[in-house]
Amino acid sequence: MSPAHTPGPWVVTEDMGSNIIRGTEEERAVEGLAGMTYKWRDYVASTWGGPHEANARLIAAAPEMLQALLVADRTFAENGLLACHAARQEIRAAIAKATGEQQ
């Protein structure tokens, strides 16, 4: 399954009171200037004001949460509950990112 969204992981940055959610940093070529590149992160979303920081973290954790659920689904389907340790690690990492326990 190919994602139709901006690939993760996503990060949250602050800019003038807004929490900006952006995609993974990548280098892009400068058009017309051979060999020159710049760093870019695709814009995903933003939330405004301090109270919305938790929303920004939750949005930024979405790619990891989707990946954790896909791993859990596959693990459970192939191996049953006895093989769920790896899936639970991914799930816990996504939860930690969404709740701000891990950056």
Side-chain angles (χ1 to χ4, degrees), residues 48-68:
W48 293 91
H52 301 289
E53 183 179 346
N55 292 340
R57 284 195 309 267
L58 183 59
I59 293 166
E64 285 90 345
M65 289 191 291
L66 175 60
Q67 180 60 32

Side-chain angles (χ1 to χ4, degrees), residues 1 5 8-9 11 15 21 29 44 46 49 51 53 55 58 70 72 74 79 85 91-92 94 100 102:
M1 173 187 314
H5 59 272
V11 297
D15 186 17
I21 299 98
V44 174
S46 59
E53 183 179 346
N55 292 340
L58 183 59
L70 291 170
R74 184 177 62 247
N79 305 302
H85 182 72
I91 291 167
R92 287 179 176 176
Q102 171 187 336

Side-chain angles (χ1 to χ4, degrees), residues 11 14 23 28 31 33-34 47 49-50 52 56 60 62 72-73 80 84 89 101:
V11 297
E14 282 188 52
R28 294 188 179 177
E31 193 173 322
L33 296 176
T47 61
H52 301 289
D73 181 57
C84 70
Q89 285 181 311
E101 295 174 21

Side-chain angles (χ1 to χ4, degrees), residues 7-95:
W10 296 347
V11 297
V12 178
T13 59
E14 282 188 52
D15 186 17
M16 297 176 58
S18 175
N19 298 292
I20 309 293
I21 299 98
R22 295 189 181 276
T24 303
E25 185 174 84
E26 61 183 58
E27 287 197 7
R28 294 188 179 177
V30 176
E31 193 173 322
L33 296 176
M36 298 214 39
T37 62
Y38 62 98
K39 294 191 187 279
W40 177 260
R41 288 185 184 272
D42 286 331
Y43 172 83
V44 174
S46 59
T47 61
W48 293 91
H52 301 289
E53 183 179 346
N55 292 340
R57 284 195 309 267
L58 183 59
I59 293 166
E64 285 90 345
M65 289 191 291
L66 175 60
Q67 180 60 32
L69 289 171
L70 291 170
V71 168
D73 181 57
R74 184 177 62 247
T75 300
F76 297 156
E78 293 172 358
N79 305 302
L81 293 176
L82 295 177
C84 70
H85 182 72
R88 288 192 73 212
Q89 285 181 311
E90 287 202 40
I91 291 167
R92 287 179 176 176
I95 291 169

